[in-house]
Amino acid sequence: MDELVARVTQATGLDATTAQTAIGLILAFLQKEGPPEEVGRLLAAMPGAEAAVAQAGDGGPGEGGGGLMGMLGGMMGGGVMALGQKLMSAGVPMGQMQPLGRELFAYGREKAGEDTMGPIVGSVPGLSQFV
């Protein structure tokens, strides 16, 4: 996980703690929203992924978050909008979400392969715009 956190901090300018939390939130989101078999393979291929998910303490789709993004996320039943709200609440500026996603998914492709990552990206509505 240290390698991924370092890559994310370099790509986004986020501090390591924020990057670690953001990675955990994204992986927790993928666990809930993505295809279970492929997400399981991704987490198994990324050392420290399960711990990052647990440490992020994600409360589930649509939980918490106020403001416009929270309302939109709630109306959409969670999804990518709710994830965006959680990332902003964790200190990730809107402009850094796409670089964060790109780096995380590039790392996932390196570790788990396109056969794993393709179905994950393809199965979650709206996710492709961040990777």
Side-chain angles (χ1 to χ4, degrees):
M1 189 56 56
D2 291 341
E3 177 188 353
L4 176 57
V5 170
R7 287 173 56 167
V8 167
T9 59
Q10 184 175 5
T12 63
L14 297 171
D15 64 82
T17 302
T18 302
Q20 175 94 19
T21 300
I23 291 164
L25 287 170
I26 293 169
L27 294 175
F29 170 79
L30 293 177
Q31 262 188 329
K32 289 181 181 72
E33 303 285 334
E37 184 178 323
E38 285 84 356
V39 173
R41 283 199 305 259
L42 172 64
L43 295 178
M46 296 173 71
E50 294 284 353
V53 169
Q55 189 177 28
D58 181 44
E63 180 182 285
L68 180 60
M69 292 292 283
M71 284 183 358
L72 288 171
M75 288 189 301
M76 296 178 70
V80 172
M81 294 298 284
L83 174 61
Q85 176 63 34
K86 289 175 187 175
L87 290 170
M88 284 193 296
S89 295
V92 179
M94 182 72 87
Q96 295 307 320
M97 289 183 196
Q98 192 171 45
L100 167 65
R102 283 189 180 142
E103 201 60 46
L104 174 59
F105 279 78
Y107 184 81
R109 283 183 179 93
E110 290 169 20
K111 297 296 182 186
E114 183 59 36
D115 289 348
T116 296
M117 297 307 295
I120 293 172
V121 174
S123 71
V124 180
L127 187 60
S128 62
Q129 66 184 330
F130 294 101
V131 301

